């Protein structure tokens, strides 16, 4: 059995985007998650990037994100190296077709 993860590495920009999509202010979201607004601000701006599991779970709940949804987390090494069917890495730009001038 795997030991629980000591911290989650989060993407502050994704947290901010989700919060704003829900129409929550920084203070409202922090209050709902049971954290300080200054801590949430540090997370969103990237000054802090690690969250303990209970804190992450509370923030995820405040942002209406399901437990198996990883959009607020940094990709794992396996996710970073996953390749698209055409051989490029996931998220890599597609090459532009040659122009036929």
């Amino acid at each position: 059995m795997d030991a629980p993860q000591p911290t989650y590495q989060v993407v502050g920009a994704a947290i901010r985007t989700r919060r704003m999509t829900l129409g929550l202010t920084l203070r409202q979201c922090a209050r709902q998650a049971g954290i300080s607004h200054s801590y949430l601000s540090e997370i969103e701006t990237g000054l802090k990037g690690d969250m303990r599991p209970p804190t992450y779970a509370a923030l995820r709940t405040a942002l209406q994100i399901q437990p198996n949804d990883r959009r607020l987390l940094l990709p794992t090494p396996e996710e970073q190296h996953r390749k698209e069917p055409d051989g490029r890495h996931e998220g890599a730009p597609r090459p532009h077709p040659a122009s036929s001038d």
Side-chain angles (χ1 to χ4, degrees), residues 1-95:
M1 194 160 160
D2 293 333
Q5 194 173 4
T7 59
Y8 288 96
Q9 293 184 316
V10 296
V11 180
I15 292 169
R16 182 175 192 269
T17 298
R18 179 63 180 165
R19 174 180 62 77
M20 294 179 78
T21 298
L22 294 173
L24 296 172
T25 67
L26 190 77
R27 288 181 188 272
Q28 289 170 330
C29 184
R31 190 175 323 120
Q32 287 181 21
I35 58 178
S36 71
H37 71 276
S38 59
Y39 176 65
L40 181 55
S41 177
E42 290 174 342
I43 290 291
E44 286 187 0
T45 59
L47 292 175
K48 295 195 176 182
D50 294 336
M51 297 184 87
R52 293 186 177 265
T55 307
Y56 174 69
L59 180 61
R60 196 184 62 233
T61 299
L63 295 174
Q64 302 172 17
I65 302 290
Q66 296 299 314
N68 61 345
D69 188 331
R70 298 189 47 83
R71 76 177 106 168
L72 303 180
L73 301 174
L74 282 178
T76 65
E78 296 83 25
E79 291 169 335
Q80 288 178 344
H81 295 293
R82 190 175 301 146
K83 290 188 176 184
E84 295 287 328
D86 62 4
R88 62 188 175 86
H89 287 286
E90 184 176 51
R94 293 182 186 266

